[in-house]
Amino acid sequence: MVVANQKGGVGKTTTTVNLAASLALHGARVLVVDLDPQGNASTALGIDHHADVPSIYDVLVESRPLSEVVQPVPDVEGLFCAPATIDLAGAEIELVSLVARESRLQRAITAYEQPLDYILIDCPPSLGLLTVNALVAGQEVLIPIQCEYYALEGLGQLLRNVDLVRGHLNPTLHVSTILLTMYDGRTRLASQVADEVRSHFGEEVLRTSIPRSVRISEAPSYGQTVLTYDPGSSGALSYLEAAREIALKGVGVHL
Ligand code: ATP
Ligand code: MG
């Protein structure tokens, strides 16, 4: 599942790590691929990602096997992370001259032999070659949308890119899931944006939206997901519920 939105700060990383942890806590085996040079998903999962750590850069640019960079996430059984280091910032340019530059992540994932139920890929806030690699490697796209004005601006471009990748490189790719994030039910704007997103996307929008929650934003500074940092908080419960919807959708049950 590719977690993408080229708009910055909409909750891609927060959604990736907390959904991944929720699915793992339900008993699934889950790999998070950190595809953002900022390395925020690696930080949030408590994974070392200083410059010397074997990382997704080595996989994409040096063709190193994914199994050599994947690390188990401390505290969450069944959760794994392929970290990103700052090297990845150069990959966007280095990839340009490499063969099969759009499908390097796909090849690495196909060759990865460990049993997994889900792979979640955290994309950077751009539509460059890193995001294209994610779209070529993935089966479905999850778009987090922050309930703010401008939320839908720029989405058209992401959807066109999904169509292009589907047309040329990955025929089964589709936008399966929209998740409303940082929802503040007290504001009229948030509910207007939510209504607009629901009328535009319909079925794909999860019923569960993620509330704005201080606990969610504090967790990464402890190298934790909100699921281990404060399991009873509204933020943790909403991600568990969103994960349950995704898991049921995956087996064809719509709530
Ligand atoms: P980027 O485009 O830079 O990769 P992103 O889309 O991955 O950003 P996040 O890093 O997940 O977005 O979130 C942006 C900021 O909002 C972070 O500081 C995060 O802690 C905070 N945040 C995300 N979701 C919530 C929430 N539900 N409640 C409160 N704060 C949140
Ligand atoms: Mg991010």
Side-chain angles (χ1 to χ4, degrees):
M1 189 173 253
V2 182
V3 181
N5 187 337
Q6 82 271 28
K7 195 182 287 290
V10 298
K12 292 181 287 297
T13 302
T14 305
T15 294
T16 303
V17 299
N18 290 304
L19 275 183
S22 299
L23 291 163
L25 290 170
H26 275 128
R29 289 175 60 88
V30 186
L31 171 64
V32 169
V33 175
D34 189 350
L35 211 56
D36 185 346
Q38 300 177 99
N40 295 154
S42 311
T43 303
L45 294 172
I47 301 288
D48 224 359
H49 61 106
H50 58 79
D52 300 333
V53 172
S55 72
I56 202 71
Y57 170 87
D58 303 293
V59 172
L60 292 176
V61 177
E62 314 284 355
S63 301
R64 194 163 173 173
L66 191 53
S67 57
E68 291 181 13
V69 314
V70 168
Q71 298 186 43
V73 171
D75 307 332
V76 187
E77 174 90 30
L79 183 56
F80 303 86
C81 175
T85 59
I86 191 66
D87 294 341
L88 195 59
E92 199 85 65
I93 291 165
E94 289 173 66
L95 280 170
V96 172
S97 57
L98 297 182
V99 291
R101 60 189 176 189
E102 297 96 354
S103 49
R104 298 179 76 88
L105 182 62
Q106 180 198 41
R107 287 182 178 197
I109 287 177
T110 308
Y112 187 71
E113 288 184 335
Q114 299 300 317
L116 287 172
D117 299 301
Y118 295 92
I119 302 176
L120 273 69
I121 306 174
D122 185 27
C123 291
S126 74
L127 292 172
L129 265 176
L130 289 171
T131 297
V132 170
N133 262 270
L135 293 175
V136 172
Q139 290 176 348
E140 44 190 283
V141 183
L142 183 161
I143 306 178
I145 295 182
Q146 184 181 357
C147 296
E148 295 286 350
Y149 196 62
Y150 302 136
L152 295 173
E153 232 159 80
L155 265 189
Q157 208 185 343
L158 171 60
L159 297 176
R160 273 192 297 282
N161 277 38
V162 171
D163 286 344
L164 277 172
V165 171
R166 180 176 44 239
H168 295 281
L169 297 159
N170 186 0
T172 57
L173 185 72
H174 61 288
V175 176
S176 65
T177 312
I178 309 280
L179 178 61
L180 297 166
T181 63
M182 296 180 242
Y183 183 78
D184 182 348
R186 292 167 307 179
T187 70
R188 191 183 303 174
L189 177 62
S191 57
Q192 279 171 353
V193 172
D195 288 347
E196 197 177 338
V197 171
R198 286 186 194 283
S199 67
H200 196 271
F201 288 99
E203 275 286 277
E204 280 82 44
V205 187
L206 294 186
R207 282 205 191 171
T208 312
S209 46
I210 307 301
R212 197 171 268 289
S213 142
V214 174
R215 303 311 248 170
I216 289 179
S217 58
E218 284 172 351
S221 58
Y222 298 89
Q224 288 191 43
T225 68
V226 75
L227 281 305
T228 52
Y229 176 64
D230 190 350
S233 63
S234 62
L237 297 176
S238 64
Y239 272 114
L240 277 170
E241 188 55 29
R244 203 174 75 91
E245 277 192 61
I246 288 171
L248 289 173
K249 262 181 28 154
V251 293
V253 178
H254 288 271
L255 292 174

